[in-house]
Amino acid sequence: MNLGLPVCGWWLWQGRGRIHEVGGRPAPATGAWIELGASIMFDKERFIHDCTQAVAAGPAAVRELVAEAVSDGAAVMRALGEPVHAGINALHRSPDLTIINFVWAPCMSLMPHDHHMFSVVGIYAGREDNIFWRRKEGGIEAVGATSLGAGDVTALERDAIHSVLNPIGRMTCAIHVYGGDFFAPPQQRSLWDHETLAEAPWEVGKVKALFEQAEARFNAWQP
């Protein structure tokens, strides 16, 4: 479905599971979109509402919503704003659901870490490379990887371990949806050192600082 094409008329989508014809083409099947005239806008509040309804059904239902949202990255960017700084920007937080607008600094990497809850990642600008890890005796080992560009989506199970790299020289923007409270998970989370792969407790303050440091480091490299 090409949501970037202008269509005639206007509509405000308020339901899920139905297709309305607009200007001879079907409207999106989720509630995250508003169209007025020839402009399509991402409706953040409607997206949050739909995710709160879908989270109990698990990652497949949430993945559908995220995929629809990031299918038009420019519309998401207009709604959330052009990124000024790298960071972890919470759009919604509750015990059952966290929605974050991640802005990765250019060439930034984040060490392996776990979540103890399912997550869905959707890229709306840039690129995000993920390496997947699994526990083994005495540590962890890499078992796979995926590279996500604008419009791509992946889902991670609750026991997943991954590290993240923004491989490009500009910021990458992504919507991450978690089936729980990302900032206060029900179990102790872990992260692993980039070089030694030594395990340590997850500290959200430390991770937030890494975004600031990565941005400052990249800016210092610029002529």
Side-chain angles (χ1 to χ4, degrees), residues 108-127:
M108 175 185 176
S109 63
L110 183 62
M111 72 282 287
H113 60 278
D114 59 16
H115 299 137
H116 295 303
M117 63 190 74
F118 80 78
S119 62
V120 177
V121 176
I123 311 302
Y124 67 91
R127 179 161 293 281

Side-chain angles (χ1 to χ4, degrees), residues 7 9 15 45 71 81 98 101 123 127 135 137 141 154 198 201 204:
V7 294
E45 296 305 319
S71 65
T98 307
N101 178 29
I123 311 302
R127 179 161 293 281
R135 289 184 177 273
E137 185 176 354
E141 61 182 356
T154 192
V204 68

Side-chain angles (χ1 to χ4, degrees), residues 19-200:
I19 298 291
H20 287 187
E21 292 291 331
V22 182
R25 283 188 291 274
T30 71
W33 300 97
I34 297 175
E35 182 171 358
L36 298 174
S39 299
I40 293 177
M41 298 177 61
F42 172 72
D43 185 343
K44 181 183 74 173
E45 296 305 319
R46 176 56 58 175
F47 177 72
I48 293 170
H49 174 270
D50 285 349
C51 285
T52 61
Q53 301 298 305
V55 67
V62 173
R63 191 185 191 283
E64 179 183 345
L65 295 173
V66 174
E68 189 69 56
V70 301
S71 65
D72 189 337
V76 178
M77 186 73 76
R78 286 193 297 270
L80 300 183
E82 293 280 346
V84 177
H85 297 291
I88 303 173
N89 309 299
L91 304 180
H92 174 84
R93 178 186 177 188
S94 70
D96 301 321
L97 175 71
T98 307
I99 304 174
I100 296 175
N101 178 29
F102 270 88
V103 180
W104 301 96
C107 304
M108 175 185 176
S109 63
L110 183 62
M111 72 282 287
H113 60 278
D114 59 16
H115 299 137
H116 295 303
M117 63 190 74
F118 80 78
S119 62
V120 177
V121 176
I123 311 302
Y124 67 91
R127 179 161 293 281
E128 181 182 307
D129 291 348
N130 286 255
I131 298 176
F132 299 106
W133 305 77
R134 68 183 174 196
R135 289 184 177 273
K136 66 173 185 176
E137 185 176 354
I140 57 173
E141 61 182 356
V143 293
T146 187
S147 185
L148 306 174
D152 291 337
V153 179
T154 192
L156 284 69
E157 297 297 333
R158 61 177 294 109
D159 60 350
I161 301 171
H162 74 141
S163 55
V164 183
L165 168 68
N166 174 14
I168 62 177
R170 60 185 176 87
M171 292 182 178
T172 284
C173 303
I175 294 176
H176 290 211
V177 180
Y178 299 87
D181 187 344
F182 174 88
F183 299 99
Q187 297 172 275
Q188 178 63 54
R189 294 177 58 186
S190 294
L191 53 79
W192 287 262
D193 181 85
H194 271 305
E195 183 175 1
T196 66
L197 298 183
E199 186 173 1

